[in-house]
């Protein structure tokens, strides 16, 4: 019951540089001095080397990486909200 969004598209539109670590299956977003790593299947993200627990995990579906939007964007200082009437983030 969590919103997952395409990693690359979302984070590039937010102004991040995106990379992928195939050995650890980790998506990486960088903006300014902040680095956020999103390991696939883990219930945490890594912000600047520190684990931040999350109640959902990133996943790969149809060869695309989907991330838990709230945790990742909030790690960059963004505010994320949910409008239940329109079902939009």
């Amino acid at each position: 019951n969590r919103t997952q969004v395409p990693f690359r598209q979302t984070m590039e539109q937010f102004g991040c540089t995106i990379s992928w670590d195939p050995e650890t299956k980790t998506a990486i977003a960088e903006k300014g001095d902040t680095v956020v790593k999103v390991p696939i299947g883990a219930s945490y993200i890594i912000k600047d080397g520190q684990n931040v627990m999350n109640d959902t995990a990133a996943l790969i579906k149809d060869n695309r990486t989907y991330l838990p939007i709230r945790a990742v964007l909030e790690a960059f200082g963004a505010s994320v909200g949910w409008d239940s009437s329109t079902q939009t983030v």
Side-chain angles (χ1 to χ4, degrees), residues 36 45 52-55 67-76 80:
V36 175
I45 62 171
V52 177
M53 298 309 295
N54 194 25
D55 63 356
L67 75 147
I69 186 71
R70 181 179 302 274
V72 175
L73 286 178
E74 286 180 349
F76 285 102
V80 178

Side-chain angles (χ1 to χ4, degrees), residues 7-12 15-20 27-30:
F7 183 78
R8 178 173 299 280
Q9 179 183 4
T10 303
M11 299 315 296
E12 284 180 345
C16 293
T17 301
I18 303 304
S19 59
W20 173 255
I28 303 163
E30 299 180 58

